[in-house]
């Protein structure tokens, strides 16, 4: 019922890094051992993405939490809150999953997390449109985080609230927040291009 292996600090994370190191050596591309991650996954894959971003945030460019149900690191380190993440909810998925993800998002957004909440109407426990929006998210984040003349995760550029724009998770507006708007009512949007795609995604009616 609960995926214990997503507790990456207890061995599964090390196994992932060891596997990457092995293939880096065998392929003759040792730079793979220092490559930063774009983490994509659905359900338990989204869970493990959040846990990896909480375990080694310095190695993550951006990541996705996609409709998973269990998170051991619901209040992650500050470095994780400063790592761009997109949190997908299918509004017809199980309430237990949705409440877990949204509660985690709201708590950390209030603390300034550079995260995006994307609630998808008419979608249950399925990928649906999340992959396409995630790809655009990755593309826009990479423009801001990847250096021109350096390799490896240690060269990643930091991002900040001011480098993007914000949307309202309830009205779905992407204007400047009204006076008195709570931080947790907003969502961080990495660019204007992504903001428009997010607005279309969260307002689209699906059968």
């Amino acid at each position: 019922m609960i995926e214990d292996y997503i507790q990456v600090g207890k061995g599964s994370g090390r196994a992932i890094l060891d596997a990457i190191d092995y293939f880096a050596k065998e392929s003759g591309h040792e730079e793979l051992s220092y490559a930063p991650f774009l983490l994509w996954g659905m359900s338990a894959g989204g869970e493990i993405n959040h846990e990896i971003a909480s375990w080694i945030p310095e190695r993550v460019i951006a990541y996705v939490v996609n409709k998973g149900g269990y998170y051991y690191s619901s209040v992650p380190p500050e470095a994780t809150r400063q790592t761009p993440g997109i949190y997908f909810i299918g509004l017809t998925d199980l309430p237990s999953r949705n409440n877990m993800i949204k509660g985690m998002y709201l708590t950390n957004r209030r603390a300034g997390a550079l995260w995006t909440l994307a609630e998808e109407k008419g979608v249950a426990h399925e990928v649906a449109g999340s992959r396409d929006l995630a790809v655009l998210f990755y593309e826009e984040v990479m423009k801001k985080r990847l250096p021109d003349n350096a390799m490896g995760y240690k060269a990643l550029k930091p991002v900040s609230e001011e480098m993007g724009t914000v949307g309202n998770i309830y009205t779905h507006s992407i204007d400047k927040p009204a006076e008195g708007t709570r931080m947790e009512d907003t969502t961080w949007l990495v660019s204007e291009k992504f903001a428009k795609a997010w607005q279309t995604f969260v307002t689209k009616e699906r059968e």
Side-chain angles (χ1 to χ4, degrees), residues 89 91 118-123 128-130 132-133 172 196-207:
I89 289 174
L91 288 176
E119 297 178 300
E120 197 169 9
K121 295 180 180 180
V123 167
S130 63
D132 291 339
L133 189 65
H172 305 134
K196 292 176 181 177
W198 170 84
Q199 188 176 52
T200 298
F201 180 89
V202 296
T203 57
K204 181 178 180 180
E205 298 291 343
R206 300 167 180 83
E207 296 182 358

Side-chain angles (χ1 to χ4, degrees), residues 142-164:
M142 284 192 291
K143 291 176 184 178
K144 298 187 176 182
R145 298 213 66 195
L146 292 182
D148 296 327
N149 300 307
M151 295 179 63
Y153 66 87
K154 291 184 179 180
L156 287 175
K157 299 177 183 178
V159 288
S160 65
E161 182 85 10
E162 295 72 26
M163 292 173 70

Side-chain angles (χ1 to χ4, degrees), residues 18-33:
D18 287 347
I20 292 171
D21 289 345
Y22 172 81
F23 286 115
K25 182 178 180 180
E26 290 296 306
S27 67
H29 288 278
E30 295 189 6
E31 69 274 11
L32 293 176
S33 290

